[in-house]
Amino acid sequence: MPVVKFASLIPLSLLALWGLAGCALVELPSTRTNMRDVVVDEAVAQLDRPYRYQGNDSLGFDSAGLAQYAYQKSGIQLPATPGAQRAQGQSIVPSAVRNGDLVFFSMGNNSPQDLHVGIYIGRSRMVHITRNGRVQIDMIDTPYWQRRLLDTVSYLP
């Protein structure tokens, strides 16, 4: 039986490990440049953050503050209130809503204080925050949200 010296195995084992390490490399995702993706990614990254009246940072949000925060990350400055966000954006038909667009709902008697905004993230879902709640994802094609839907608005190309 041939005798193999331990020292002669080291270079081979290092080459084998180096080859395996090369296979295990994972390509990091590129920086997101699509504004719609940036808005959606930023909104989703805030899941479970708490409600905070007039909040627009990671310490807490109100509905307009969440939209303002996510859009700011894509380089777009939104107004601070849902009413102004709705008025200044481009109104679109609900069937044309795309990822990153804003969806507006009446939560009461159509007063400005009762206006609620969410960020559409695809497949009939939105990211939003409820009063006294947390940032969450909800389906907007439910009877609850559909009867309250006022407008869909886009700021994005």
Side-chain angles (χ1 to χ4, degrees), residues 23-140:
C23 294
L25 290 178
V26 176
E27 186 176 328
L28 295 175
S30 62
T31 303
R32 305 291 301 249
T33 55
N34 180 309
M35 293 169 71
R36 290 182 179 278
D37 290 340
V38 171
V39 169
V40 169
D41 290 349
E42 288 298 329
V44 170
Q46 304 313 310
L47 287 176
D48 209 35
R49 298 268 190 219
Y51 176 85
R52 186 167 58 100
Y53 178 70
Q54 294 183 343
N56 64 357
D57 58 37
S58 60
L59 296 176
F61 300 98
D62 63 11
S63 71
L66 177 61
Q68 194 178 37
Y69 180 85
Y71 268 76
Q72 180 184 15
K73 296 296 183 175
S74 75
I76 297 174
Q77 298 299 317
L78 290 187
T81 66
Q85 289 175 355
R86 181 181 178 206
Q88 290 183 24
Q90 174 67 43
S91 185
I92 56 175
V93 295
S95 62
V97 69
R98 294 172 52 202
N99 289 359
D101 289 337
L102 301 179
V103 286
F104 291 88
F105 304 91
S106 172
M107 302 309 289
N109 59 8
N110 290 335
S111 71
Q113 295 81 9
D114 292 330
L115 195 59
H116 182 71
V117 60
I119 301 167
Y120 187 78
I121 62 169
R123 299 188 322 217
S124 298
R125 297 171 303 154
M126 72 169 166
V127 174
H128 71 122
I129 187 159
T130 59
R131 266 191 194 155
N132 303 321
R134 297 199 168 274
V135 176
Q136 62 190 39
I137 296 175
D138 274 328
M139 301 296 294
I140 63 170

